[in-house]
């Protein structure tokens, strides 16, 4: 199974209480790809500048990530500079230089067209929609967005939501998108906009999967494609994955994208996307997010092994297991 | 098994986005007692004024709570007025009239002295210590405190912590008590002050149990009294119980005290306080907190049945259960 992901590949300069790093390899598509690469084949669509060299290319290649969709353009790559000095849960942005990303026109390599899974990372919803429409044969589509698109590009975003199976956003974005401060009511509001399932990421407190079927146990054996039809009139239900309380958080950048990569990568690795697979996927998402924040940028994801991932999965299971 | 609880019995006037109630029966010892009464015998030590009448007494009696330790004094009961109009997670206090509580001198009825469990609700640590010292025969002691005592009455509070098996506080209080912004490091700092276990309440995100044993699975079959000796040099470990995302939160008052009542009441109901019992107790704590907020004051706890509690326990188990 293969995932095609469209999103940013960037350089980040990051300052946290643990120190500072200049021009780390970053971007949502990078974190997502690395995290998902431990579970399935990953193919990236992005644009980079002339500052993206052999060393950066090697990070993808080492993880067998297909980079044929990474376009090289004249100029510099997307650059972001931010800090988390006062609050590890919220980045303070100092610089955003879109550079070559400003004119990004996603091009889908022919070799990507048989992908069964598509992830639309946080970019302009107009581009998300274009890529989604260009890949009508995919089995499952997930996506992310952010407050900027929710506030100022709502009509375009609503079009994207209609074509999504799974939306992954945080608490604040969920409330903002639905215009409702109660998380459960807001989740129901978001589900009514199109997505069959909503994953709300709570940062250090884990994440919650909301869907429309009558109860989680009643979903056993059903495919995600059946969830939407069950939703009508049956309320909203949920599943929560914890986050491991972490003693050391070096750099929160990319935690949400790494969650998405672990979540969607695990789902794509399964023969069927059953509710049980969704539950395990939620745990793998939490696991990948917990690794990402242990080092600056993608350092930890680059060095990770599948054995470490499965060991931590076992730890997470034990963290909330009753009997 | 019986729990003796010392704390406040009060009247609360509460305003939330759902409405306003005048002079609800409240106070930490009231919420705790009602929640714990579904699991074991409960005996209360408190002081009330002349405004505490037959109707209030009946709330306790209906739940078979022993009120012989509730002293009647001349004057008015403790009165609190607060609102949650902007933020359901944080009360804004408008009025605190200590009234008869200002001169509270806890008196322990002879009939309470064989209690095996003691809960020190959030009151002046000098009084907490006095009650704890007066009941040397108890098997397990748990307690609560708040920012005011942590900041301005630290020496007295540190004396209380030395005599506690389990401390239940929230994230902010944990960080404040340890002087460390990382929750795991702060939890370890708090455990070093005396308690054998620390329950950190995360509000809508559940709660985490921190203890010192090497891993949760290694605790199987061990008594809580063995936890302390295992702690040295083996790091800090944890267990997390979720909170059910709630569609309706009418009044958050007393959620933490109800968590404590469910948690400690369930523990007291068990023949042995094994790690498995601790895990289930964490879930019962979350369950009782989730009921408390569904109505104003103690209205929901007053009408609750054990069947409803066990049904919700099953729901909570399912909420994070993997297989």
């Amino acid at each position: 199974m293969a995932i095609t992901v469209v999103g940013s590949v960037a350089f980040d300069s990051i300052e946290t209480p643990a120190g500072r790093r200049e021009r780390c390899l970053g971007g949502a598509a990078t974190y997502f790809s690395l995290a998902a690469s431990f579970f399935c084949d990953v193919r990236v669509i992005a644009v980079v500048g002339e500052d993206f060299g052999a060393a950066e290319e090697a990070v993808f290649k080492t993880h067998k990530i297909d980079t044929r969709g990474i376009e090289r353009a004249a100029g510099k790559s997307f650059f972001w500079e931010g800090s988390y000095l006062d609050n590890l849960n919220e980045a303070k942005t100092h610089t955003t230089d879109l550079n070559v990303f400003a004119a990004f026109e996603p091009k889908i390599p022919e070799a990507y067209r048989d992908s069964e899974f598509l992830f639309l990372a946080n970019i302009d919803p107009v581009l998300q929609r274009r890529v989604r429409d260009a890949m009508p044969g995919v089995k499952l589509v997930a996506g992310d967005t952010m407050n900027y698109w929710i506030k100022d590009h709502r009509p375009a975003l609503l079009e994207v939501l209609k074509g999504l199976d799974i939306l992954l956003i945080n608490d604040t974005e969920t409330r903002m998108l639905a215009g409702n401060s109660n998380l459960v009511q807001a989740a129901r509001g978001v589900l009514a906009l199109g997505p069959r399932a909503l994953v709300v990421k709570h940062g250090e407190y884990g994440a919650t999967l909301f869907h429309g079927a009558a109860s989680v146990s009643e979903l056993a054996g059903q495919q995600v494609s059946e969830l939407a039809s069950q939703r009508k009139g049956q309320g909203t239900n949920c599943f929560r994955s914890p986050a491991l309380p972490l003693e050391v958080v070096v750099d929160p950048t990319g935690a949400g994208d790494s969650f998405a990569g672990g979540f969607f990568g695990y789902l794509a690795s399964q023969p069927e996307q059953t509710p049980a697979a969704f539950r395990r996927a939620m745990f793998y998402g939490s696991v990948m997010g917990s690794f990402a924040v242990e080092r600056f940028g993608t350092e930890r994801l680059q060095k990770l092994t599948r054995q470490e991932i499965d060991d931590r999965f076992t730890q997470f299971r034990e963290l909330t297991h009753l009997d």
Side-chain angles (χ1 to χ4, degrees), chain A residues 3-9 28-30 32-33 42-48 60 65-71 101 104-113 115 117-121 123 127 130-132 134-135:
Chain A
I3 298 177
T4 285
V5 50
V6 58
S8 59
V9 171
T30 306
F32 178 93
S33 298
V42 182
R43 301 158 171 178
V44 188
I45 299 172
V47 62
V48 294
F60 290 86
I65 298 165
D66 196 328
T67 58
R68 282 177 286 181
I70 300 185
E71 181 191 347
F101 208 76
F104 182 33
E105 290 280 352
K107 294 169 196 67
I108 303 166
E110 221 22 65
Y112 286 19
R113 295 206 175 261
S115 303
F117 297 87
L118 175 63
F119 187 76
L120 308 170
I123 53 172
L127 301 185
R130 204 174 297 163
V131 174
R132 200 266 165 271
M135 296 185 71

Side-chain angles (χ1 to χ4, degrees), chain A residues 93-314:
Chain A
T93 293
H94 301 296
T95 312
T96 304
D97 292 334
L98 290 177
N99 296 325
V100 298
F101 208 76
F104 182 33
E105 290 280 352
K107 294 169 196 67
I108 303 166
E110 221 22 65
Y112 286 19
R113 295 206 175 261
D114 63 353
S115 303
E116 288 173 286
F117 297 87
L118 175 63
F119 187 76
L120 308 170
N122 168 33
I123 53 172
D124 186 334
V126 171
L127 301 185
Q128 289 181 315
R129 179 69 192 277
R130 204 174 297 163
V131 174
R132 200 266 165 271
D133 287 349
M135 296 185 71
V138 294
K139 181 176 170 187
L140 209 61
V141 187
D144 189 5
T145 190
M146 67 183 291
N147 51 4
Y148 173 70
W149 309 117
I150 294 171
K151 274 196 298 191
D152 299 336
H153 295 254
R154 195 177 176 86
L157 180 60
L158 292 180
E159 287 304 306
V160 173
L161 296 182
K162 287 179 194 164
L164 278 191
D165 295 297
I166 310 165
L167 176 66
L168 294 97
I169 50 181
N170 68 27
D171 289 62
T172 308
E173 291 156 356
T174 303
R175 293 184 166 111
M176 188 185 289
L177 182 53
N180 190 317
S181 66
N182 178 282
L183 189 65
V184 180
Q185 294 174 22
R188 183 176 305 140
V190 170
L191 290 175
L193 298 175
R196 299 168 183 204
L198 168 68
V199 175
V200 184
K201 296 172 285 182
H202 308 308
E204 63 177 316
Y205 297 115
T208 304
L209 168 71
F210 291 93
H211 56 83
S215 89
V216 177
S217 63
E218 288 176 29
L219 291 175
Q222 295 171 356
Q223 299 296 309
V224 67
S225 56
E226 298 172 36
L227 296 188
S229 61
Q230 293 219 345
R231 176 145 39 87
K232 287 171 192 130
Q234 292 199 55
T236 309
N237 296 280
C238 59
F239 177 71
R240 187 163 275 189
S241 67
L244 189 70
L246 295 172
E247 179 144 9
V248 178
V249 176
V250 167
D251 172 18
T253 310
D257 301 312
S258 304
F259 180 100
F263 171 81
F264 207 49
Y266 179 78
L267 268 187
S269 77
Q270 297 301 293
E272 294 188 5
Q273 285 67 48
T274 62
F278 264 77
R279 287 166 175 248
R280 290 192 300 271
M282 290 288 288
F283 271 63
Y284 275 111
S286 283
V287 163
M288 298 310 289
S290 80
F291 279 120
V293 304
E294 288 184 352
R295 299 279 182 279
F296 275 100
T298 57
E299 287 173 17
R300 187 70 181 95
L301 296 183
Q302 289 185 38
K303 298 255 162 77
L304 205 54
T305 67
R306 180 63 196 254
Q307 185 61 52
E308 288 177 305
I309 293 169
D310 287 331
D311 288 350
R312 189 162 291 183
F313 181 90
T314 304

